[in-house]
Amino acid sequence: MRLGRRLAGLGLVAAAAFGLAFGAEAQEKKFKIGVIYDYSGPLAGGGSSLHGLGAKIMIDHFIQKGPVEGYTIEAIYADAQSKPEVAINEAVRLIEQEKVDMLLGFFSSAQCVPVAGRVEQLGKFMWITTCISTAVLENRNYKNVFRPQAMGQHFGMTATDMIASYSKEKFGKEPKDLRVAIIHEDGAYGVDVARGNEAGAKKHGLNVVLKEGYAATAPDLSALVTKLRRARPDVILHTGYNPDISLFLRQAREGGLKFGALIGHGAGYGVPEKLREALGKDLVGFFNIDPISIWQTNQAALTPDLPPIVKMVGEAYDKAQPGNQRSPHVGMAASNVYLFLQHVLPRAIKAHGGTSAEALRKAALELDFPEGGTMLGFGVKFAGDGPMAGQNERAAPVVIEYTADSADVVWPKSQAKRAPTLPLPAGNPYTTR
Amino acid sequence: MGFLDIFLVEALVNGLLLGGVLALLALGLNLIFGVIDVAWICYAELVMFGMYAMYYFAVVYGLGYWIAAPLSIAGVGLMGVALHLLVISPLLASAPINQLLATGGVLFFLQSLATVMFGIDFRNLGIRLPTIEVADVFISYARLLAFGAALAGMVALYLFLTRTYVGTAIRAISQDRQIMALMGVDTRRIYVITSAVGGALAGLAACLLVLQYDVHPFVGLSFGPITFMICVMGGLGNMIGGFIAAFIFAEIISVGGLYLDLEWGYVFAFVFFIAMMFVRPEGLLARRS
């Protein structure tokens, strides 16, 4: 009898201990995110570290809020060093050694293209916040790679849509008479956007007088400036990182290049404070195509949960970089990370039984948000199959025009604050006026 | 379009001015190799530190360009001395590959150090120089300055090497390092002076490049490889050869880029380099043995 009691007591103690251990384990369920951006190398200053900051602000926000459906979020950050091979190595390291559940981030398309293939091969989930090259997803039929961001050809075609629309009114020319030059860095990103430019020019019947690529690290672009002077374009469509953008514009100014409009396509053109440092007031009147800055979206048109998050990101950014103008890059990454942590992850855990790549994929494919469903203004609906599987089909960039101290949305007309200033204003050293 | 159109003239002028920039960069590297027989792979990173020095002296401390320039030149000159004393000197008797690897290591060290010290942001002086227009050909003022400085640097270096006692000693050492020590020349002192002059030339290049380029920790990647190729094509250690090679290289890039895709200019320049390595492996001005 006594022995029986003792055994029962021991059993109770063991059960309690096991229960406690089990409980602790349940509480310690972790969701590990591998975050990869360029924190060093030329791309870091070209915008990648700002995206990294935006992603971190949002991840920290969710970590502070507490577990998501019982899962504590843990982020492991890695530096791609502006090199595709380092990005691949870091992605594999995070998956195989750090055992992350997914990868998130990526600024450069040259990194995205190979990394996406490797991640898919390893059966993990990848959420691309930034890189825009169409080639990352086109005809790849990936199951687990998703991009809420607009893609490169959208960027390229948005530029031609705007200039074709204003060709007659602002330049006094039919689109077929409007002389357009397409120049781009020759990586995956630049080539892809230029393809969009070319397709858009063809669609609108614009006269493409020059199409030229160059290495982003080229020490001299004066030959390009001379060719542009010879081609006499009304509009230059430029895709570049930095500092190739400031080198080109500096040499263009010194080389006496004149044009009616210059439209950039994100990356280096999306960091206006750096361009202002290099170009001063010469930047006024230049355009940039990017997803809208989250601080410029019409807050009333967003779903009600979003404006407080926009405010939070702004305050966190001001704290991280006091005195700096709020960068659209930061908001872009923050918005795309929010979409994942707020909508994809909880849905995967609740409705699809966990955090596997398959569960995350199913959850992502179920998202169906109309316009106003993200901080960037656009909606969300991912293509599940087809040539662009994994692409958010509702993502769209806007055209902004740089002013003396800010930037205004000028295209599409539905979101435009005002009409674009075309051709470049008088007094600008590049203007044909 | 006529063959000798205005744009070809402009491309030739641009090539000439780019040649000035590259010649200036090659000058210091050739001096070092000619005398100490060590290639500073990290030379462009010294230029990068010089550009940062210009930024901090001129913009952050508000000293103005003309005060910042000599301070930066002196600063990079001291870096050259430090590089020699800390890295090169202990390896002087080692195999050339060890010296090469050591200066290659310094390259990565300096890039990382700059990232830690200055961050990853692009910086620039914010100086916008006027444009010179002659008969519809536009000439970059900053490039013209670099061109002038390259010529002046070359002449000054020539005078220093031929008209001063130290210069004569440097030339003598570059001809025979072992014998000069036996004849009582303090080779260590000469090496230090040469490193200081080589560093100062990197500083001078930095003062001019910072007018045209943003500075960031990896700016050296744009210039380092091309500068090294120019030095090799001119004959490592041959300053006049390097000077000529810089202009040939720049003209091929500029004119080739005008008539074909921009990238082809570089392709032609590199093909020319490879061809020259077969035809004149000792450099453009080497005498056939």
Side-chain angles (χ1 to χ4, degrees):
Chain A
M1 190 71 182
R2 212 176 262 178
L3 183 68
R5 270 188 206 155
R6 274 184 193 167
L7 281 174
L10 275 173
L12 276 173
V13 170
F18 183 74
L20 276 174
F22 188 81
E25 190 184 275
Q27 279 174 356
E28 280 175 12
K29 272 197 293 190
K30 271 185 187 168
F31 183 71
K32 287 173 90 171
I33 305 174
V35 183
I36 302 184
Y37 289 101
D38 308 286
Y39 299 100
S40 63
L43 296 179
S48 190
S49 74
L50 288 172
H51 278 271
L53 175 61
K56 187 171 188 310
I57 286 172
M58 194 52 71
I59 291 169
D60 288 350
H61 171 73
F62 274 86
I63 289 172
Q64 244 178 8
K65 264 176 59 177
V68 176
E69 299 297 333
Y71 282 78
T72 305
I73 291 168
E74 184 184 324
I76 301 172
Y77 295 87
D79 180 8
Q81 298 175 23
S82 306
K83 296 171 189 163
E85 68 277 13
V86 176
I88 297 170
N89 290 343
E90 287 295 282
V92 173
R93 181 182 68 82
L94 288 175
I95 290 171
E96 292 187 341
Q97 291 176 29
E98 299 290 345
K99 308 285 182 204
V100 297
D101 295 287
M102 66 169 292
L103 290 179
L104 176 153
F106 302 99
F107 179 75
S108 156
S109 297
Q111 296 170 12
C112 267
V113 173
V115 170
R118 195 80 181 97
V119 174
E120 177 82 6
Q121 215 176 31
L122 293 169
K124 286 289 172 185
F125 188 82
M126 180 172 174
W127 188 256
I128 297 169
T129 63
T130 311
C131 69
I132 64 166
S133 172
T134 310
V136 177
L137 297 172
E138 192 175 28
N139 296 321
R140 310 269 179 182
N141 297 310
Y142 292 145
K143 283 179 71 183
N144 302 321
V145 181
F146 286 79
R147 178 167 59 188
Q149 168 84 312
M151 63 181 185
Q153 287 184 31
H154 285 155
F155 279 58
M157 294 180 86
T158 301
T160 50
D161 286 348
M162 184 181 88
I163 57 168
S165 170
Y166 284 107
S167 176
K168 185 81 179 155
E169 180 189 336
K170 299 281 189 179
F171 289 97
K173 292 180 177 181
E174 292 297 333
K176 69 178 171 54
D177 298 321
L178 198 69
R179 300 170 69 84
V180 176
I182 300 167
I183 58 171
H184 60 93
E185 64 87 28
D186 61 6
Y189 152 67
V191 169
D192 186 50
V193 175
R195 263 175 67 198
N197 287 147
E198 211 172 11
K202 197 175 169 192
K203 178 178 136 196
H204 295 290
L206 300 167
N207 178 17
V208 178
V209 292
L210 180 74
K211 181 170 181 278
E212 184 96 26
Y214 63 86
T217 52
D220 182 59
L221 295 171
S222 56
L224 179 61
V225 172
T226 304
K227 282 171 121 165
L228 284 165
R229 285 215 320 127
R230 191 169 62 184
R232 292 178 293 109
D234 297 305
V235 178
I236 296 176
L237 307 177
H238 186 193
T239 308
Y241 291 110
N242 224 345
D244 56 312
I245 292 174
S246 29
L247 175 64
F248 167 69
L249 290 171
R250 211 172 271 147
Q251 293 198 316
R253 187 178 183 274
E254 291 173 348
L257 179 65
K258 308 285 179 194
F259 44 80
L262 182 131
I263 304 178
H265 301 83
Y269 278 103
V271 193
E273 59 276 15
K274 286 288 134 199
L275 291 173
R276 279 203 177 88
E277 268 179 36
L279 305 170
K281 61 182 178 7
D282 296 356
L283 182 69
V284 175
F286 287 178
F287 300 99
N288 177 41
I289 298 178
D290 248 334
I292 195 168
S293 164
I294 60 170
W295 298 286
Q296 283 193 310
T297 44
N298 178 5
Q299 305 281 299
L302 302 181
T303 51
D305 63 312
L306 295 175
I309 304 295
V310 171
K311 187 166 174 276
M312 179 281 292
V313 176
E315 286 167 358
Y317 177 69
D318 294 342
K319 205 172 157 190
Q321 299 203 350
N324 277 1
Q325 197 181 329
R326 288 177 181 178
S327 164
H329 282 312
V330 173
M332 210 184 302
S335 173
N336 291 335
V337 173
Y338 178 80
L339 181 67
F340 177 81
L341 292 175
Q342 181 68 17
H343 298 290
V344 179
L345 182 59
R347 190 184 290 256
I349 298 167
K350 268 197 299 191
H352 302 290
T355 59
S356 67
E358 181 61 20
L360 293 168
R361 168 189 160 78
K362 283 181 180 164
L365 288 176
E366 282 170 8
L367 298 185
D368 187 358
F369 296 164
E371 202 170 318
T374 65
M375 284 181 258
L376 297 165
F378 50 70
V380 182
K381 183 68 195 165
F382 289 104
D385 47 27
M388 289 308 299
Q391 173 64 39
N392 177 12
E393 294 172 323
R394 293 183 185 157
V398 298
V399 183
I400 57 168
E401 180 183 328
Y402 288 123
T403 61
D405 54 2
S406 182
D408 293 333
V409 178
V410 294
W411 183 267
K413 284 178 179 169
S414 59
Q415 292 187 53
K417 189 176 169 188
R418 60 175 173 81
T421 312
L422 290 168
L424 270 175
N428 187 302
Y430 302 96
T431 189
T432 45
R433 284 196 200 193
Chain B
M1 185 187 66
F3 183 72
L4 266 173
D5 65 348
I6 195 75
F7 299 112
L8 174 60
V9 175
E10 189 169 298
L12 287 167
V13 171
N14 282 336
L16 200 66
L17 297 180
L18 175 64
V21 173
L22 298 178
L24 188 58
L25 282 163
L27 205 57
L29 191 56
N30 264 329
L31 175 71
I32 300 294
F33 189 83
V35 177
I36 310 176
D37 207 18
V38 173
W40 283 4
I41 298 288
C42 57
Y43 189 75
E45 277 56 44
L46 294 184
V47 176
M48 176 260 291
F49 266 86
M51 291 168 80
Y52 271 116
M54 280 300 293
Y55 171 78
Y56 276 92
F57 286 136
V59 177
V60 179
Y61 301 119
L63 296 179
Y65 184 86
W66 295 109
I67 296 175
L71 289 175
S72 302
I73 292 170
V76 185
L78 286 175
M79 279 186 78
V81 173
L83 177 67
H84 178 78
L85 294 177
L86 299 175
V87 181
I88 307 294
S89 188
L91 293 171
L92 269 179
S94 303
I97 186 68
N98 293 351
Q99 299 165 350
L100 214 62
L101 289 172
T103 57
V106 174
L107 180 155
F108 292 114
F109 169 74
L110 292 178
Q111 281 181 354
S112 306
L113 183 67
T115 305
V116 173
M117 283 175 70
F118 311 122
I120 43 133
D121 279 347
F122 303 116
R123 322 261 185 191
N124 66 77
L125 298 192
I127 295 175
R128 278 177 284 285
L129 294 169
T131 302
I132 301 164
E133 186 184 351
V134 182
D136 206 30
V137 172
F138 288 84
I139 297 168
S140 159
Y141 198 83
R143 286 268 160 102
L144 201 62
L145 276 178
F147 181 79
L151 283 181
M154 188 76 191
V155 171
L157 195 59
Y158 174 79
L159 292 175
F160 170 69
L161 292 176
T162 55
R163 305 286 168 87
T164 65
Y165 174 78
V166 175
T168 308
I170 286 174
R171 282 190 299 129
I173 283 184
S174 71
Q175 285 167 13
D176 196 324
R177 287 196 286 167
Q178 277 76 33
I179 291 291
M180 288 313 293
L182 296 176
M183 294 177 77
V185 173
D186 184 354
T187 51
R188 287 185 51 157
R189 184 170 156 263
I190 296 299
Y191 287 165
V192 168
I193 292 171
T194 308
S195 300
V197 175
L201 285 168
L204 176 64
C207 296
L208 296 158
L209 289 179
V210 82
L211 294 172
Q212 302 166 66
Y213 299 94
D214 286 1
V215 54
H216 56 97
F218 300 88
V219 69
L221 294 175
S222 294
F223 303 104
I226 204 167
T227 306
F228 196 67
M229 285 169 75
I230 283 165
C231 292
V232 172
M233 195 161 85
L236 265 172
N238 187 330
M239 276 167 275
I240 297 173
F243 202 72
I244 294 168
F247 286 99
I248 294 174
F249 226 75
E251 287 297 355
I252 294 174
I253 290 170
S254 188
V255 178
L258 179 67
Y259 287 106
L260 296 164
D261 276 355
L262 210 61
E263 297 287 19
W264 278 105
Y266 288 91
V267 172
F268 284 139
F270 295 143
V271 167
F272 181 73
F273 169 76
I274 294 164
M276 288 309 295
M277 286 301 94
F278 283 107
V279 180
R280 301 188 79 87
E282 298 294 316
L284 282 176
L285 299 187
R287 288 200 185 123
R288 282 185 182 277
S289 57

